[in-house]
């Protein structure tokens, strides 16, 4: 391949053959990625013919933006495999490096799409509103983090609730921002972040529902598990546009509370439960914004635990009122 008597080449010849600068060859050689075959009497670097292929591999890996340490691991693994006759090793270093780079690129692309949607959001609003809009969306990282939402719910949930139950609740209650958001979804998520991080309004007390207060930590876990099943069933009803009505979802909803309180599901209990739930603190704003974040454009809003709860409470109140009227007619004089 090379014209020298021993088949070796100088650093300049290798650079010319590979189409790179001498500085590039020296850089990789100094970092141990491109071993020298020998040095000339004058101390100049000389390389074997296989250096051309190795340099091409290095350039390909660097072209994928893999860092030098990753390139070194891949080349070392290749050297070990070649030394074992090509039968040992599976290319795990290359596979891991490529997978890691893909994950990083996915995150970078998500950040770029989020920034683009945020910029469009600012660009498309009236000029007088742009400073406030910019401050709102600028408070959210790109890609956005859901850490503030998780902290909000962790402070809301009963203390010492089992970690597995907390995780299951957070998966349902914390919306994941879309990878390719519309400007309206960026706005909704930014408002959601602002909602959960706003300063205390001075009212004091906890927003934890009083209807949940009778349960200890482990009983709360059972309650939330039962509610999650009821919310899933109610979500199906919401997706098909059904009006609040008795059925499996409502029975499971009431059952979750009855089991926690250690009482039977009776019409009287349902009336008491409906009253307690109606008096509980509400965070409708959170669930409305969550629905905006997760819903498809121009489609029916995706159900959330909040909208499912409202559907079930409406069904419970309607059922309780009907039972109350029926009982009143049964005892009224004719």
């Amino acid at each position: 391949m090379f014209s020298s008597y021993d088949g070796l080449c100088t650093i300049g010849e290798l650079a010319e053959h590979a189409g790179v600068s001498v500085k590039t060859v020296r850089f990789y050689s100094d970092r141990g990625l491109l071993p020298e075959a020998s040095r000339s009497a004058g101390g100049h670097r000389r390389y074997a013919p296989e250096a051309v292929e190795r340099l091409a591999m290095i350039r390909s890996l660097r072209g994928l933006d893999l860092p030098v340490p990753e390139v070194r691991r891949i080349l070392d693994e290749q050297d070990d495999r070649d030394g074992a006759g090509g039968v040992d090793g599976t290319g795990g270093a290359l596979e891991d490096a490529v997978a890691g780079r893909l994950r990083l690129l996915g995150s970078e692309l998500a950040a770029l799409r989020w920034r683009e949607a945020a910029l469009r959001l600012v660009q498309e609003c009236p000029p007088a509103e742009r400073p406030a809009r910019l401050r709102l969306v600028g408070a959210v990282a790109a890609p956005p983090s859901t850490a503030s939402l998780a902290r909000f719910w962790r402070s809301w949930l009963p203390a010492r609730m089992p970690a597995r139950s907390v995780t299951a609740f957070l998966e349902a209650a914390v919306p994941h921002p879309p990878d390719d958001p519309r400007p309206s979804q960026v706005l909704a998520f930014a408002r959601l972040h602002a909602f959960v991080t706003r300063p205390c309004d001075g009212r004091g007390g906890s927003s934890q529902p009083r209807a949940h207060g009778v349960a200890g930590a482990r009983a709360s876990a059972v309650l939330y598990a039962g509610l999650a099943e009821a919310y899933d069933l109610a979500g199906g009803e919401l997706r098909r546009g059904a009006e609040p009505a008795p059925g499996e979802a409502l029975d499971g909803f009431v059952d979750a509370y009855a089991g926690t309180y250690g009482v039977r599901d009776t019409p009287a209990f349902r009336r008491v439960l409906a009253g307690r739930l109606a008096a509980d603190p509400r965070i409708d704003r959170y669930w409305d914004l969550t629905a905006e974040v997760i819903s498809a454009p121009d489609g029916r809003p995706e159900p959330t635990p909040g909208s499912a709860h409202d559907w079930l409470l409406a069904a419970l109140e309607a059922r309780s009122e009907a039972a109350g009227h029926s009982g009143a007619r049964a005892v009224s004089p004719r």
Side-chain angles (χ1 to χ4, degrees), residues 9 32 143 238 241:
C9 68
L238 282 164

Side-chain angles (χ1 to χ4, degrees), residues 58-73:
I58 293 170
R59 293 186 65 201
S60 295
L61 294 171
R62 292 290 287 157
L64 296 175
D65 210 20
L66 295 178
V68 169
E70 293 284 356
V71 174
R72 179 178 290 109
R73 279 193 286 271

Side-chain angles (χ1 to χ4, degrees), residues 148-159 166 170 196 205-208:
S148 61
L149 309 184
R151 283 194 299 271
F152 171 80
W153 285 114
R154 287 182 187 279
S155 69
W156 184 89
L157 290 168
V166 172
L170 292 179
V196 300
S206 171
S207 62
Q208 173 69 22

Side-chain angles (χ1 to χ4, degrees), residues 115-125 183:
R115 290 192 184 105
E116 180 186 20
L119 288 170
R120 291 190 184 282
L121 181 66
V122 174
Q123 182 184 51
E124 293 168 2
C125 75

